[in-house]
Amino acid sequence: MSDAVFLVVMGVSGTGKSTLGAALSKALRLPFIDGDDLHPQSNVDKMSRGEPLTDTDRQPWLETIRRTAVSSVLSQLGNDHKSHAEPNAMPETETTLDKCSMLGRNEQLSSSMRDKDQKLGIVIACSALKGSYRSVLRGETLSEAEASKHLGKLPTCFVYMKGSREMLMNRMMKRQGHFMKAAMLDSQLKTLESPEYEEGVVTVSIEWSTEDQVQEVVRAGEGHQHVASKH
Protein backbone atom coordinates (compact mmCIF):
# COMPACT_ATOMS: atom_id res chain seq x y z
CA MET A 1 0.00 0.00 0.00
CA SER A 2 3.03 2.28 0.21
CA ASP A 3 2.72 2.75 -3.57
CA ALA A 4 -0.70 4.38 -3.12
CA VAL A 5 -1.47 7.91 -1.94
CA PHE A 6 -4.10 9.56 0.25
CA LEU A 7 -4.59 13.14 -0.95
CA VAL A 8 -6.36 15.50 1.49
CA VAL A 9 -7.75 18.76 0.12
CA MET A 10 -7.82 21.01 3.19
CA GLY A 11 -8.73 24.51 4.34
CA VAL A 12 -11.45 26.42 6.14
CA SER A 13 -15.05 26.39 4.97
CA GLY A 14 -15.68 28.33 1.78
CA THR A 15 -12.36 27.62 0.09
CA GLY A 16 -13.80 25.25 -2.50
CA LYS A 17 -12.40 21.97 -1.19
CA SER A 18 -15.13 19.83 -2.73
CA THR A 19 -14.80 21.49 -6.13
CA LEU A 20 -11.04 21.02 -6.23
CA GLY A 21 -11.27 17.52 -4.81
CA ALA A 22 -13.65 16.47 -7.57
CA ALA A 23 -11.39 18.06 -10.20
CA LEU A 24 -8.31 16.30 -8.85
CA SER A 25 -10.25 13.04 -8.79
CA LYS A 26 -10.95 13.41 -12.49
CA ALA A 27 -7.44 14.54 -13.40
CA LEU A 28 -5.66 11.83 -11.38
CA ARG A 29 -8.29 9.13 -11.94
CA LEU A 30 -8.73 8.56 -8.21
CA PRO A 31 -11.99 8.24 -6.24
CA PHE A 32 -13.20 11.32 -4.34
CA ILE A 33 -15.11 11.62 -1.07
CA ASP A 34 -16.28 14.79 0.64
CA GLY A 35 -15.20 14.43 4.26
CA ASP A 36 -18.29 16.34 5.41
CA ASP A 37 -20.34 13.31 4.38
CA LEU A 38 -18.47 11.24 6.96
CA HIS A 39 -19.43 13.38 9.96
CA PRO A 40 -21.58 11.59 12.55
CA GLN A 41 -25.07 13.06 12.81
CA SER A 42 -24.25 14.58 16.19
CA ASN A 43 -21.58 16.74 14.56
CA VAL A 44 -23.90 17.81 11.74
CA ASP A 45 -26.54 18.79 14.27
CA LYS A 46 -24.08 20.93 16.23
CA MET A 47 -22.81 22.72 13.13
CA SER A 48 -26.38 23.30 11.94
CA ARG A 49 -27.00 25.14 15.19
CA GLY A 50 -23.90 27.25 14.61
CA GLU A 51 -21.96 25.50 17.38
CA PRO A 52 -18.24 24.89 16.72
CA LEU A 53 -17.03 21.32 17.08
CA THR A 54 -14.64 20.39 19.86
CA ASP A 55 -11.54 18.25 19.40
CA THR A 56 -13.48 15.45 21.08
CA ASP A 57 -16.18 15.78 18.41
CA ARG A 58 -13.64 15.75 15.61
CA GLN A 59 -11.50 12.81 16.74
CA PRO A 60 -13.83 9.98 15.65
CA TRP A 61 -14.62 11.85 12.42
CA LEU A 62 -10.93 12.18 11.52
CA GLU A 63 -10.33 8.53 12.37
CA THR A 64 -13.26 7.58 10.14
CA ILE A 65 -11.74 9.56 7.27
CA ARG A 66 -8.41 7.77 7.69
CA ARG A 67 -10.07 4.36 7.88
CA THR A 68 -12.17 5.18 4.82
CA ALA A 69 -9.05 6.12 2.84
CA VAL A 70 -7.25 2.94 3.85
CA SER A 71 -10.30 0.79 3.13
CA SER A 72 -10.68 2.35 -0.31
CA VAL A 73 -7.08 1.59 -1.23
CA LEU A 74 -7.38 -1.94 0.13
CA SER A 75 -10.43 -2.43 -2.07
CA GLN A 76 -8.43 -1.23 -5.05
CA LEU A 77 -5.65 -3.69 -4.17
CA GLY A 78 -8.03 -6.60 -3.68
CA ASN A 79 -9.51 -8.40 -0.72
CA ASP A 80 -6.45 -10.67 -0.20
CA HIS A 81 -4.53 -7.77 1.30
CA LYS A 82 -7.03 -6.98 4.04
CA SER A 83 -5.41 -9.14 6.70
CA HIS A 84 -2.14 -7.21 6.66
CA ALA A 85 -1.24 -4.28 8.87
CA GLU A 86 -0.44 -0.62 8.46
CA PRO A 87 2.62 0.02 10.67
CA ASN A 88 2.50 2.52 13.49
CA ALA A 89 3.56 6.13 12.96
CA MET A 90 6.66 6.61 10.84
CA PRO A 91 8.33 9.85 9.69
CA GLU A 92 6.96 10.99 6.32
CA THR A 93 9.71 13.27 5.08
CA GLU A 94 11.42 12.34 1.84
CA THR A 95 9.19 9.29 1.53
CA THR A 96 6.06 11.41 1.62
CA LEU A 97 7.41 13.84 -0.93
CA ASP A 98 8.42 11.00 -3.22
CA LYS A 99 4.94 9.55 -3.04
CA CYS A 100 3.35 12.94 -3.60
CA SER A 101 5.63 13.42 -6.58
CA MET A 102 3.87 10.51 -8.28
CA LEU A 103 0.54 12.37 -8.32
CA GLY A 104 1.03 14.03 -11.68
CA ARG A 105 2.20 11.00 -13.55
CA ASN A 106 -1.24 9.63 -14.39
CA GLU A 107 -2.10 12.91 -16.10
CA GLN A 108 0.66 12.29 -18.64
CA LEU A 109 0.03 8.62 -19.33
CA SER A 110 -1.46 7.58 -22.64
CA SER A 111 -4.83 5.85 -22.46
CA SER A 112 -3.13 2.55 -23.35
CA MET A 113 -0.75 2.84 -20.38
CA ARG A 114 -3.22 4.05 -17.76
CA ASP A 115 -4.82 0.68 -17.06
CA LYS A 116 -1.41 -0.90 -16.49
CA ASP A 117 0.12 1.94 -14.48
CA GLN A 118 -2.98 3.33 -12.79
CA LYS A 119 -2.09 5.01 -9.51
CA LEU A 120 -3.82 3.69 -6.40
CA GLY A 121 -5.23 6.15 -3.93
CA ILE A 122 -8.06 8.43 -2.95
CA VAL A 123 -8.86 12.14 -2.68
CA ILE A 124 -10.82 13.36 0.35
CA ALA A 125 -11.84 16.93 1.21
CA CYS A 126 -11.39 17.73 4.89
CA SER A 127 -10.77 20.99 6.79
CA ALA A 128 -7.79 19.47 8.70
CA LEU A 129 -7.21 22.79 10.47
CA LYS A 130 -4.78 21.71 13.20
CA GLY A 131 -1.50 19.86 13.05
CA SER A 132 -2.93 17.29 15.45
CA TYR A 133 -5.85 16.67 13.09
CA ARG A 134 -3.44 16.12 10.22
CA SER A 135 -1.53 13.63 12.36
CA VAL A 136 -4.70 11.56 12.68
CA LEU A 137 -5.27 11.76 8.94
CA ARG A 138 -1.68 10.58 8.35
CA GLY A 139 -2.42 7.53 10.49
CA GLU A 140 0.09 8.55 13.14
CA THR A 141 -2.35 8.11 16.02
CA LEU A 142 -4.01 4.83 15.13
CA SER A 143 -4.11 2.34 17.96
CA GLU A 144 -2.15 -0.89 17.58
CA ALA A 145 -5.42 -2.83 17.28
CA GLU A 146 -6.68 -0.52 14.52
CA ALA A 147 -3.33 -0.56 12.76
CA SER A 148 -3.40 -4.36 12.57
CA LYS A 149 -6.26 -4.13 10.07
CA HIS A 150 -4.24 -2.36 7.41
CA LEU A 151 -1.58 -3.15 4.84
CA GLY A 152 1.56 -1.03 4.69
CA LYS A 153 1.87 2.68 5.38
CA LEU A 154 -0.49 4.75 3.25
CA PRO A 155 1.38 8.01 2.43
CA THR A 156 -0.70 11.12 3.01
CA CYS A 157 -0.33 14.42 1.13
CA PHE A 158 -2.19 17.69 1.70
CA VAL A 159 -3.39 20.36 -0.71
CA TYR A 160 -3.86 23.53 1.36
CA MET A 161 -6.39 25.99 -0.07
CA LYS A 162 -5.40 29.44 1.14
CA GLY A 163 -7.41 32.66 0.91
CA SER A 164 -8.14 35.98 2.58
CA ARG A 165 -10.89 36.39 5.17
CA GLU A 166 -12.69 38.87 2.90
CA MET A 167 -12.92 36.50 -0.02
CA LEU A 168 -13.88 33.58 2.20
CA MET A 169 -16.66 35.59 3.86
CA ASN A 170 -18.02 36.70 0.49
CA ARG A 171 -18.16 33.08 -0.64
CA MET A 172 -19.75 31.94 2.63
CA MET A 173 -22.55 34.48 2.47
CA LYS A 174 -23.52 33.22 -1.00
CA ARG A 175 -23.74 29.57 -0.01
CA GLN A 176 -27.15 28.01 0.54
CA GLY A 177 -28.06 24.76 2.28
CA HIS A 178 -24.61 24.16 3.81
CA PHE A 179 -24.58 23.43 7.55
CA MET A 180 -21.61 25.71 8.07
CA LYS A 181 -22.64 29.17 9.29
CA ALA A 182 -20.83 32.23 7.96
CA ALA A 183 -20.39 33.51 11.52
CA MET A 184 -18.19 30.48 12.29
CA LEU A 185 -15.55 31.48 9.74
CA ASP A 186 -13.59 33.59 12.22
CA SER A 187 -13.54 30.67 14.64
CA GLN A 188 -12.08 28.43 11.95
CA LEU A 189 -9.48 30.98 10.92
CA LYS A 190 -8.43 31.33 14.56
CA THR A 191 -8.14 27.55 14.87
CA LEU A 192 -6.20 27.13 11.62
CA GLU A 193 -2.57 26.06 12.02
CA SER A 194 -0.96 26.59 8.63
CA PRO A 195 0.52 23.40 7.14
CA GLU A 196 2.70 25.32 4.68
CA TYR A 197 5.97 24.23 6.23
CA GLU A 198 5.03 20.62 6.81
CA GLU A 199 6.29 17.85 4.55
CA GLY A 200 4.11 16.69 1.70
CA VAL A 201 2.03 19.89 1.40
CA VAL A 202 1.10 21.88 -1.72
CA THR A 203 -0.44 25.33 -1.21
CA VAL A 204 -2.85 26.80 -3.76
CA SER A 205 -4.68 30.12 -3.76
CA ILE A 206 -8.48 30.17 -3.77
CA GLU A 207 -8.22 33.09 -6.20
CA TRP A 208 -6.93 30.76 -8.92
CA SER A 209 -9.21 28.90 -11.27
CA THR A 210 -9.86 25.25 -10.48
CA GLU A 211 -7.86 24.31 -13.57
CA ASP A 212 -4.86 26.32 -12.36
CA GLN A 213 -5.14 24.74 -8.91
CA VAL A 214 -5.11 21.25 -10.42
CA GLN A 215 -2.13 22.12 -12.60
CA GLU A 216 -0.26 23.42 -9.57
CA VAL A 217 -0.83 20.21 -7.64
CA VAL A 218 0.36 18.15 -10.61
CA ARG A 219 3.37 20.46 -11.14
CA ALA A 220 4.33 20.33 -7.47
CA GLY A 221 4.07 16.56 -7.52
CA GLU A 222 6.39 16.35 -10.48
CA GLY A 223 8.95 18.57 -8.72
CA HIS A 224 8.83 16.83 -5.31
CA GLN A 225 8.59 20.16 -3.53
CA HIS A 226 6.49 22.42 -1.39
CA VAL A 227 4.63 25.08 -3.33
CA ALA A 228 3.60 28.33 -1.70
CA SER A 229 0.68 30.42 -2.83
CA LYS A 230 1.41 32.97 -5.49
CA HIS A 231 0.64 36.52 -4.43
Side-chain angles (χ1 to χ4, degrees), residues 7-24:
L7 185 62
V8 180
V9 182
M10 62 158 290
V12 300
S13 185
T15 52
K17 297 185 294 293
S18 297
T19 299
L20 178 56
L24 286 169

Side-chain angles (χ1 to χ4, degrees), residues 5 24 29 32 93 108 124-125 143 151 175 193 200:
V5 66
L24 286 169
R29 300 181 69 239
F32 170 68
T93 53
Q108 300 176 336
I124 298 184
S143 68
L151 167 67
R175 299 178 76 177
E193 296 172 359

Side-chain angles (χ1 to χ4, degrees), residues 15-152:
T15 52
K17 297 185 294 293
S18 297
T19 299
L20 178 56
L24 286 169
S25 170
K26 181 178 180 180
L28 302 173
R29 300 181 69 239
L30 297 175
F32 170 68
I33 295 175
D34 191 328
D36 283 346
D37 294 337
L38 299 177
H39 271 294
Q41 188 60 44
S42 57
N43 285 4
V44 175
D45 291 342
K46 286 189 71 171
M47 290 185 287
S48 296
R49 296 191 298 267
E51 301 174 18
L53 299 179
T54 66
D55 285 357
T56 301
D57 294 325
R58 288 189 177 93
Q59 183 71 23
W61 171 57
L62 295 167
E63 291 175 350
T64 296
I65 290 175
R66 177 68 188 185
R67 286 195 298 269
T68 298
V70 172
S71 295
S72 175
V73 172
L74 288 174
S75 294
Q76 294 169 44
L77 286 168
N79 290 335
D80 13 326
H81 296 287
K82 290 188 177 180
S83 62
H84 296 271
E86 177 179 52
N88 290 327
M90 295 174 61
E92 291 192 349
T93 53
E94 293 183 359
T95 300
T96 298
L97 289 175
D98 287 345
K99 298 305 179 186
C100 291
S101 73
M102 300 175 71
L103 285 171
R105 296 182 186 175
N106 283 342
E107 188 71 0
Q108 300 176 336
L109 294 177
S110 67
S111 57
S112 62
M113 291 292 290
R114 283 184 175 180
D115 291 339
K116 179 180 179 181
D117 296 332
Q118 174 65 50
K119 182 69 179 167
L120 299 176
I122 187 170
V123 181
I124 298 184
C126 172
S127 52
L129 300 180
K130 291 184 178 181
S132 59
Y133 303 165
R134 295 189 287 274
S135 291
V136 177
L137 294 171
R138 289 186 180 102
E140 295 172 350
T141 60
L142 285 174
S143 68
E144 185 173 346
E146 182 64 30
S148 68
K149 300 178 183 179
H150 308 315
L151 167 67

